[in-house]
Amino acid sequence: MRILVTGGAGFIGSHLCERLVGEGHDVLCLDNFFTGNKRNIARLMGNERFELIRHDITQPILLEVDRIYNLACPASPIHYQYNPVKTIKTSVMGAINMLGLAKRVRARILQASTSEIYGDPQVHPQTEEYWGNVNPIGIRSCYDEGKRVAETLMMDYHRQNGVDVRIIRIFNTYGPRMAENDGRVVSNFIVQALRGEDLTVYGEGSQTRSFCYVDDLVDGMIRMMECEDFIGPVNLGNPTETTILEFAQRIIGLTGSSSKIIFNPLPADDPKQRRPDISLAGEKLGWSPKVDVATGLKQTIDYFAGVLGRK
C-alpha cells in the first residue's frame, strides 16, 4: 500500500516508517521538523520505497494514499508548552486537514491520541470508557484538549461522512531515537545518569507511570490500522506500573552512575497515576507488550550513550 505517516521523522514515527517500509509498503514521511530529526530517518533516505515531504499539517496537502497514520504533534511538555497555540493548531487543524484528505481519497486514517486525554485520572487503571479529568485552562491543556478535540473530529467525520477511522491512545513510550532534550522521564534520567548529573525527580517521586517499548507500540499501531470492524479508541501501553522514584533508582543501577537524586516541586496538573487497562487491545487486536523493561532500557541506554559520545 501507499502509506502516509505524519510526524514520520519523530521518535515513534521513524520506527513506524521503518517497519512499514520493511513490510514492502511505499511510505510518505511528512514532517515539519519542529521536533522531528532527519537523523531518525537517515537509514531510509536511499530506499526507493521511502519519500520525505517537508510540510506542516496545519496547511492542507493533496496526496494519493491508502492509509494515513496521523502522529504529527509535539508530545513532550517542554516542546508542546514552548508554543501552545501551535500545539493545539497542529492537533485540531492538522486533524481536519488529514481527515479531509482521507475523505477525498477514501483512505483509512489512524489518529495517534494519548493517555493525556485522561488528565489526572480519578479512575485507575484507565479504561477506554473513562472520560478523563482534564484542566481545560491549564498549561498542559493545549496538548490534552487538542488531542481530545482530534478524537471528537475523528468520530464526527466517521459518523457524518463515513470516513474510515481508527483511534489509539498511546501511554508513555520509550526507546532509541527519543530526543535527549525532550524533558520526558526516560530520556531525562538516562541522559542525566550518563553525564553523571543529579537525577531530577519532581514532587516526592510517588507518582506512577507505565513504560512501553517503542517496538511493541508500533506493532499495536499496525494491528489497529489493519483491524476490521473496530475503530477504537483503544489503549496501547505497558500495564507494568512503577513510581518515578523507583524508576530513577533503576536507571542509576543500570547505568552504573554515581548520580544522586534531587527533588524539585511538582509541575502543575502533573498526573499522579498513569497505567493503561489493555484488556480491550488484547481482545480486539491480540496485542500485549513483549519487550520487558530491562531489555528495553538497555537498548535505550546504549542509544543515548552513542548519541552523547558523538558530541
Side-chain angles (χ1 to χ4, degrees):
M1 286 183 287
R2 188 169 170 84
I3 300 177
L4 172 65
V5 179
T6 73
F11 158 49
I12 294 173
S14 63
H15 285 276
L16 177 62
C17 286
E18 244 179 46
R19 171 78 177 270
L20 293 171
V21 168
E23 291 181 355
H25 301 292
D26 290 332
V27 174
L28 302 178
C29 167
L30 188 152
D31 208 297
N32 69 347
F33 295 101
F34 178 64
T35 57
N37 194 310
K38 288 183 180 178
R39 182 179 65 198
N40 293 338
I41 52 171
R43 69 185 71 188
L44 291 171
M45 292 303 288
N47 193 304
E48 63 181 8
R49 293 195 178 277
F50 180 80
E51 183 178 346
L52 173 63
I53 303 170
R54 187 168 193 137
H55 183 81
D56 189 320
I57 64 164
T58 60
Q59 302 299 319
I61 189 169
L62 297 176
L63 298 166
E64 293 292 333
V65 293
D66 305 300
R67 297 281 190 269
I68 302 170
Y69 287 87
N70 188 35
L71 278 65
C73 188
S76 73
I78 284 179
H79 290 148
Y80 68 64
Q81 291 171 18
Y82 172 76
N83 189 339
V85 173
K86 178 70 172 178
T87 296
I88 198 163
K89 285 172 69 176
T90 300
S91 285
V92 177
M93 296 171 63
I96 291 171
N97 287 330
M98 290 302 105
L99 283 161
L101 174 61
K103 178 184 173 183
R104 282 193 298 273
V105 301
R106 299 180 183 274
R108 179 177 294 175
I109 180 170
L110 180 143
Q111 170 65 19
S113 190
T114 171
S115 60
E116 298 296 340
I117 68 105
Y118 298 122
D120 188 4
Q122 296 174 332
V123 170
H124 193 74
Q126 292 80 60
T127 66
E128 291 84 356
E129 288 76 23
Y130 179 52
W131 290 354
N133 176 41
V134 175
N135 177 1
I137 58 171
I139 61 172
R140 300 170 69 102
S141 59
C142 60
Y143 183 70
D144 301 0
E145 297 288 33
K147 288 289 191 177
R148 286 163 68 96
V149 172
E151 287 196 19
T152 300
L153 286 163
M154 290 285 153
M155 293 307 300
D156 286 342
Y157 267 79
H158 173 69
R159 286 186 287 250
Q160 182 174 326
N161 300 307
V163 176
D164 192 7
V165 304
R166 301 288 184 273
I167 301 172
I168 60 170
R169 291 174 178 165
I170 299 173
F171 282 67
N172 292 70
T173 302
Y174 71 99
R177 300 184 203 151
M178 296 184 80
E180 68 246 42
N181 62 344
D182 67 6
R184 298 191 218 193
V185 172
V186 176
S187 51
N188 265 8
F189 286 173
I190 292 175
V191 168
Q192 288 170 339
L194 290 174
R195 287 176 172 163
E197 300 171 353
D198 292 335
L199 270 64
T200 309
V201 169
Y202 295 97
E204 298 176 352
S206 59
Q207 65 271 42
T208 66
R209 295 293 184 270
S210 307
F211 299 101
C212 182
Y213 191 64
V214 65
D215 288 356
D216 283 330
L217 176 68
V218 167
D219 179 57
M221 294 174 74
I222 293 173
R223 286 177 183 236
M224 182 59 176
M225 176 64 93
E226 299 309 322
C227 182
E228 303 297 334
D229 304 318
F230 175 59
I231 66 174
V234 65
N235 292 335
L236 294 180
N238 192 322
T240 303
E241 189 176 15
T242 182
T243 70
I244 295 300
L245 181 57
E246 290 168 344
F247 194 72
Q249 294 165 339
R250 185 168 193 171
I251 295 296
I252 290 174
L254 287 170
T255 57
S257 175
S258 59
S259 298
K260 301 292 188 288
I261 295 173
I262 60 172
F263 296 89
N264 284 349
L266 198 64
D269 301 326
D270 192 58
K272 299 177 188 67
Q273 293 178 304
R274 187 58 57 76
R275 176 162 70 94
D277 182 318
I278 60 169
S279 54
L280 188 60
E283 174 191 341
K284 297 292 187 180
L285 309 178
W287 179 86
S288 64
K290 306 298 183 202
V291 180
D292 63 87
V293 175
T295 301
L297 283 177
K298 182 182 184 305
Q299 295 185 27
T300 309
I301 290 167
D302 288 347
Y303 168 78
F304 276 113
V307 170
L308 297 176
R310 286 197 294 269
K311 295 193 170 184

